[in-house]
Amino acid sequence: MLVTSTTAGFYLGSKKTTYLSSLNFTPYLNFTGRYGLPIRSNIWLRDNSFNIVGDTRLLVYPQYTWGLGGGQSSNNKYLVDYKYVRFYQSALKRITPYFFAGIGYYLDYYIDMESDNGSGSNLKAFTNYQFGTEAKKNSFSSGPVINLMYDTRNNSINPLPGWFANIIYRYNMKALGSNDNWQSLYVDVRKYQSLTNTPRKNMLAFWFYYWSSLSSGTPYLNLPAIGMDPYQRSGRGIEQNRYRGQNLLYFETEYRYDLTNNGLLGFVAFANINSASQPNSRQFRYFNPAAGAGLRIKFNKKSDTNIGIDYGFSRDYSSIRINLGETF
């Protein structure tokens, strides 16, 4: 695999009254048919008057799916190949010093979905799900979002003690080109707690999210799935897309510690657990844990950006993940 990552951190106002803005561009190629051009932006205007959040992706993204819910064998998987265009943009206005509210527009376009898999079967039969599973068809979703956020962190690249909460309600409609009308809700809560008062980092971080498809008509690839959250950072130690359902619960905790006084080197230890609801019941029957540890190397002192190298493992899978910036 070949990966390049460029992250820019900058202030559009006084550091005392304006959070750090960031841009991230991470093109990649794995030499086996998967490549992508993702661009993420998190812009804070002067005095945090507005927060403008963007996520644009152009991907060719073959990946396995295991159907809906939990309890399936890791060998019972199905390869889905598709091209993908994402355009997410939101603008939030400051209501109080830490609370922001706004609206946005989300677009997902899955193109030329190939689901023959060389077996003569099809994705619709494999998943027993009717929306967005037909071979050689496109899946288009388009609609407005309502975005509410509470954020006391002054640096999202490497959060210091504080809180973050985000609620995103999405309504896709045929009037804007969607194949079907459908709705979703994403609730994200994070807490960062220092264990000492010294400059040397010694802290705990907690992350919980609940992601739900609120109505029928949601395309299969838009259903909540592990590792497919808006930042694609969840589920370290679990293969991306391994668990998918109409509802998804996720919780992760991480311990972060600086090995050197200047923060050049550090380490983390983490554990997470998730559950995707069972098909046609929305019940959480199976809970899937993972754990691991990682090394942190300071990449940029001004933006406090780290290179993260993490090893994670679960019952039937393990992986090494490299990030520019903290996982959450």
Side-chain angles (χ1 to χ4, degrees), residues 33 85 104 199 211 263:
V85 178
W211 187 6

Side-chain angles (χ1 to χ4, degrees), residues 116-184:
D116 179 70
N117 206 37
S119 63
S121 63
N122 56 65
L123 182 61
K124 187 174 183 178
F126 179 79
T127 61
N128 196 28
Y129 189 80
Q130 62 177 319
F131 300 103
T133 53
E134 295 187 31
K136 299 295 186 180
K137 294 291 183 69
N138 300 336
S139 174
F140 188 80
S141 298
S142 168
V145 299
I146 297 174
N147 200 327
L148 305 176
M149 182 176 66
Y150 179 82
D151 195 355
T152 67
R153 310 167 303 168
N154 60 5
N155 184 349
S156 61
I157 298 175
N158 192 350
L160 297 175
W163 284 90
F164 171 82
N166 192 200
I167 298 175
I168 301 174
Y169 168 74
R170 178 178 181 180
Y171 180 52
N172 302 273
M173 55 185 71
K174 291 183 178 180
L176 293 177
S178 297
N179 296 120
D180 293 283
N181 295 323
W182 61 273
Q183 304 169 58
S184 68

Side-chain angles (χ1 to χ4, degrees), residues 213-233:
S213 169
L214 300 176
S215 60
S216 62
T218 304
Y220 180 78
L221 293 176
N222 281 112
L223 288 173
I226 190 67
M228 302 302 287
D229 56 281
Y231 297 92
Q232 290 193 318
R233 295 293 184 94

Side-chain angles (χ1 to χ4, degrees), residues 23-309:
L23 290 171
N24 187 286
F25 178 49
T26 313
Y28 60 85
L29 169 69
N30 73 350
F31 301 102
T32 59
R34 179 184 290 189
Y35 56 89
L37 298 171
I39 302 173
R40 291 192 60 88
S41 58
N42 187 23
I43 307 300
W44 293 93
L45 300 188
R46 184 185 299 275
D47 299 327
N48 293 342
S49 57
F50 278 92
N51 179 219
I52 302 171
V53 183
D55 184 356
T56 302
R57 306 180 193 180
L58 301 174
L59 309 179
V60 175
Y61 210 73
Q63 67 173 177
Y64 285 106
T65 185
W66 286 260
L68 299 176
Q72 315 96 324
S73 166
S74 60
N75 296 321
N76 185 31
K77 56 187 179 181
Y78 192 96
L79 182 65
V80 183
D81 196 358
Y82 57 89
K83 304 174 184 66
Y84 176 50
V85 178
R86 169 182 286 191
F87 182 76
Y88 291 3
Q89 294 289 329
S90 295
L92 293 83
K93 179 177 173 53
R94 188 180 67 176
I95 308 300
T96 69
Y98 299 118
F99 176 68
F100 302 82
I103 59 174
Y105 171 75
Y106 281 12
L107 179 152
D108 290 294
Y109 191 22
Y110 298 94
I111 305 169
D112 195 22
M113 294 173 55
E114 172 59 60
S115 60
D116 179 70
N117 206 37
S119 63
S121 63
N122 56 65
L123 182 61
K124 187 174 183 178
F126 179 79
T127 61
N128 196 28
Y129 189 80
Q130 62 177 319
F131 300 103
T133 53
E134 295 187 31
K136 299 295 186 180
K137 294 291 183 69
N138 300 336
S139 174
F140 188 80
S141 298
S142 168
V145 299
I146 297 174
N147 200 327
L148 305 176
M149 182 176 66
Y150 179 82
D151 195 355
T152 67
R153 310 167 303 168
N154 60 5
N155 184 349
S156 61
I157 298 175
N158 192 350
L160 297 175
W163 284 90
F164 171 82
N166 192 200
I167 298 175
I168 301 174
Y169 168 74
R170 178 178 181 180
Y171 180 52
N172 302 273
M173 55 185 71
K174 291 183 178 180
L176 293 177
S178 297
N179 296 120
D180 293 283
N181 295 323
W182 61 273
Q183 304 169 58
S184 68
L185 179 68
Y186 180 77
V187 180
D188 186 325
V189 180
R190 308 178 190 187
K191 169 64 175 174
Y192 307 88
Q193 181 65 52
S194 284
L195 301 178
T196 59
N197 293 323
T198 61
R200 195 170 184 171
K201 183 177 292 183
N202 182 19
M203 65 181 294
L204 287 171
F206 304 93
W207 180 18
F208 167 83
Y209 73 74
Y210 170 73
W211 187 6
S212 176
S213 169
L214 300 176
S215 60
S216 62
T218 304
Y220 180 78
L221 293 176
N222 281 112
L223 288 173
I226 190 67
M228 302 302 287
D229 56 281
Y231 297 92
Q232 290 193 318
R233 295 293 184 94
S234 64
R236 280 180 291 179
I238 297 174
E239 191 165 1
Q240 187 185 59
N241 204 38
R242 176 67 174 87
Y243 303 103
R244 181 183 296 271
Q246 291 178 300
N247 300 292
L248 182 71
L249 285 173
Y250 182 78
F251 177 75
E252 180 165 356
T253 183
E254 181 175 86
Y255 175 67
R256 302 173 182 174
Y257 184 77
D258 283 341
L259 294 172
T260 59
N261 290 328
N262 62 2
L264 176 63
L265 296 176
F267 83 91
V268 303
F270 59 86
N272 61 68
I273 190 168
N274 75 84
S275 181
S277 62
Q278 295 301 106
N280 304 318
S281 71
R282 292 184 180 264
Q283 293 181 352
F284 297 105
R285 187 176 301 170
Y286 299 94
F287 290 85
N288 313 291
L295 176 69
R296 295 293 179 266
I297 305 171
K298 189 65 66 183
F299 180 76
N300 187 303
K301 289 184 178 180
K302 290 185 177 180
S303 63
D304 202 20
T305 302
N306 290 329
I307 297 174
I309 305 172

